[in-house]
Amino acid sequence: MAYPEFPDHSRFTPVASVLAGAAEGEVTVRGWVYRTRSSGKLAFVVVRDGTGILQCTVSKAKVAAGDFDAACSALRESSVVVTGTPAADDRAPGGYELRVSGFEVLHYAETFPITQDLGDEHLLDNRHLWLRSRPMVDALKVRATAFGAFRGFWDSQGYTEVQSPSFVSGACEGGSSLFDTYYPDESAEGGKSFYAHLSQSWQLYAEATMFGLERIYTLAPSFRAEKSRTRRHLTEFWHGEVEAAWVHNEQMMAQEEAMLAAIITAVLARNRPELERLGRDPAVLEAVQPPFERLKYAEVLELLNGMGFDLAWGDDFGYREEKALTQERTQPLYITHFPREKGFYHRPDPADPKVLVCHDLLAPEGYGEIIGGGERVWSPEELAARIAEEGMEPESYGWYLDLRKFGSVPHSGFGLGLDRLVAWLCGADHIRDVIAFPRTMRRTTP
Ligand code: 4AD
Ligand code: MG
């Protein structure tokens, strides 16, 4: 078909303003057919745009014959331009309908491949089309608010946003979840290429950048070749990370609490309708109130073993453990004093060097870890010793060791998994429900 001229934007009214009762007289909306029901004389076409859905009532007697046929025959997702007069109507979704005087189809859609009950894999295969669905649109709106509030909070605290590379040479979070990427170098001997890794965290680079700016943050993808196929693991996830000089572990935790409160406040202010449509009771988020409870790793170990787990000192808490721990909780929970093996960069507690001055924050309702952070080893000797102790290659960390040689200072930081946070805010069943194109071990398409 020949496409019509690009329409004049000034003519169109967003569905949301019709639903708000703000539109006067005849208006024109444009969007996509969401569903249609028609009889011989009347067609109810629900049209959605980026702002909402609106029932358009087309009466055969009141429009040109061609317009009525178009309204009846345009399949779901056809793009349309509809003119009419808004009228309050309790039976219509949103309380308003459009009494139509003109109905134009810009493009007749083919039969949409997504119908009810086709299963998760089908929806994932068709994610490029499923993104038009209400649950996706609603979750993406909550997500956008959370991202904006993360930025807004750290800006308001005087932190500077900084970017670090995605191609890196050393591991920050251990070798087992490191992605190797092909890095073409035509000049190399025999035309061979070498491998680079994809960044698991900006942290090591942040610690370098911090010396100039003191307080910094980023919002960027991180990559983990996760063997875990759980409802909270992505291979590419969005990481909100913060690093600050002269800040201790407890102070960082207090700032995280304020950040979470700010994000929740923003979502409640902006996304109540989205939360409600997603089946998430906003009261659950309203009730979240820092300061959050703090438990030591040793205490959590005991708690979990009391629940029937069989964990020994040094064991990691995975999805199952964290789920059991947080399932019945309504407030986030901090776990502190993890065993020394948790990470080479965390500062061992001077009072008890078998544990670290660090923390994880677990979301309630079974969602589990959303933040990992802590105070960094800042003494050059101690850092070199920790790298050796963990059996890591000091050559890969030469520049990182360098940072401790020139005016080292106490400092702390953390990483927030934004996809996990948004999954909890939305009450989503799976992390992939809150990101447009989820990347997991099994999926890089669409
Ligand atoms: O606990 P992690 O591994 O901590 C770090 O990467 C630190 N270097 C951060 C820092 O101090 N700057 O990761 C931080 C958070 C986790 O708490 C979790 O929310 C999220 O990142 N995360 C994931 N989210 C989704 N899918 C995955 N595979 C994730 N791995 C970590
Ligand atoms: Mg962690």
Side-chain angles (χ1 to χ4, degrees):
M1 90 181 241
Y3 286 89
E5 284 303 300
F6 198 78
D8 166 14
H9 293 284
S10 59
R11 285 172 51 213
F12 299 101
T13 305
V15 162
S17 23
V18 176
L19 295 176
E24 296 271 336
E26 200 169 69
V27 297
T28 301
V29 299
R30 59 183 166 181
W32 293 265
V33 173
Y34 185 67
R35 73 176 107 84
T36 303
R37 188 160 52 87
S38 59
S39 66
K41 293 190 177 117
L42 216 52
F44 297 100
V45 185
V46 177
V47 172
R48 66 160 180 86
D49 70 1
T51 68
I53 64 169
L54 176 65
Q55 175 172 295
C56 303
T57 305
V58 196
S59 164
K60 191 171 185 174
K62 296 199 177 134
V63 294
D67 285 17
F68 187 73
D69 292 342
C72 294
S73 59
L75 297 180
R76 180 174 163 198
E77 293 306 326
S78 296
S79 46
V80 295
V81 174
V82 189
T83 301
T85 311
D89 187 329
D90 290 342
R91 291 160 304 177
Y96 276 89
E97 66 163 17
L98 197 68
R99 308 232 161 108
V100 175
S101 55
F103 196 102
E104 183 194 350
V105 178
L106 236 63
H107 181 244
Y108 283 93
E110 296 178 21
T111 303
F112 202 57
I114 301 175
T115 52
Q116 234 80 55
D117 302 327
L118 280 173
D120 288 349
E121 283 304 307
H122 181 79
L123 291 184
L124 286 166
D125 288 340
N126 287 285
R127 180 53 74 104
H128 54 298
L129 301 175
W130 180 240
L131 284 176
R132 306 170 182 210
S133 71
R134 296 227 98 191
M136 276 303 336
V137 167
D138 287 336
L140 292 179
K141 286 196 171 172
V142 174
R143 183 182 171 96
T145 303
F147 275 56
F150 176 87
R151 276 212 168 89
F153 178 81
W154 294 106
D155 282 341
S156 78
Q157 302 298 303
Y159 283 64
T160 304
E161 183 169 3
V162 175
Q163 291 76 34
S164 70
S166 290
F167 286 124
V168 298
S169 50
C172 181
E173 298 302 324
S176 71
S177 66
L178 207 51
F179 269 109
D180 285 334
T181 58
Y182 173 74
Y183 202 92
D185 174 10
E186 302 302 332
S187 66
E189 203 183 324
K192 285 242 171 56
S193 300
F194 61 94
Y195 288 92
H197 305 297
L198 291 179
S199 171
Q200 299 163 305
S201 163
W202 85 324
Q203 184 186 323
L204 308 186
Y205 295 90
E207 289 184 58
T209 315
M210 176 200 80
F211 283 87
L213 296 159
E214 287 198 30
R215 297 178 170 225
I216 54 175
Y217 76 92
T218 201
L219 196 43
S222 280
F223 305 87
R224 306 275 170 105
E226 293 285 2
K227 312 295 178 281
S228 342
R229 292 181 182 150
T230 73
R231 39 189 76 231
R232 62 175 200 175
H233 281 98
L234 295 169
T235 47
E236 177 176 352
F237 70 95
W238 281 79
H239 212 165
E241 294 188 271
V242 172
E243 198 70 32
W246 315 107
V247 170
H248 291 282
N249 189 48
E250 271 293 333
Q251 295 169 324
M252 194 41 96
M253 289 162 74
Q255 290 196 54
E256 291 164 16
E257 291 176 321
M259 166 199 74
L260 267 190
I263 293 176
I264 290 173
T265 301
V267 166
L268 286 169
R270 214 167 138 178
N271 300 117
R272 266 171 204 275
E274 285 80 11
L275 291 174
E276 277 159 11
R277 277 195 297 269
L278 289 165
R280 183 59 154 164
D281 181 359
V284 172
L285 302 181
E286 274 162 354
V288 174
Q289 189 65 55
F292 306 134
E293 187 180 350
R294 285 130 163 85
L295 289 176
K296 292 185 174 154
Y297 171 87
E299 297 172 296
V300 174
L301 206 62
E302 231 171 81
L303 244 168
L304 284 168
N305 284 340
M307 289 174 175
F309 285 90
D310 182 21
L311 299 163
W313 179 266
D315 284 351
D316 243 349
F317 304 142
Y319 175 65
R320 284 180 50 238
E321 290 80 10
E322 290 183 2
K323 186 170 178 201
L325 198 59
T326 61
Q327 195 141 253
E328 303 301 325
R329 287 177 188 267
T330 55
Q331 299 292 326
L333 167 71
Y334 270 116
I335 306 180
T336 61
H337 300 77
F338 279 92
R340 193 178 170 90
E341 301 75 47
K342 188 171 169 78
F344 75 96
Y345 53 71
H346 290 300
R347 181 174 180 225
D349 187 345
D352 179 9
K354 72 173 190 304
V355 298
L356 301 167
V357 186
C358 72
H359 60 270
D360 273 5
L361 182 67
L362 274 51
E365 303 168 79
Y367 283 89
E369 183 190 335
I370 52 172
I371 285 179
E375 212 164 302
R376 320 306 190 188
V377 178
W378 63 281
S379 132
E381 297 76 24
E382 193 172 22
L383 183 61
R386 286 291 292 131
I387 287 179
E389 185 182 328
E390 294 296 325
M392 296 158 57
E393 295 159 16
E395 317 82 70
S396 305
Y397 297 89
W399 65 263
Y400 184 64
L401 286 160
D402 235 17
L403 304 176
R404 272 51 175 183
K405 297 180 192 162
F406 304 95
S408 197
V409 291
H411 59 287
S412 299
F414 74 90
L416 162 70
L418 273 143
D419 318 89
R420 287 190 186 176
L421 170 69
V422 176
W424 167 53
L425 295 175
C426 291
D429 286 339
H430 201 294
I431 194 167
R432 66 187 177 215
D433 296 345
V434 301
I435 180 165
F437 292 102
R439 293 295 177 248
T440 59
M441 264 318 198
R442 288 185 200 159
R443 190 173 280 281
T444 52
T445 55

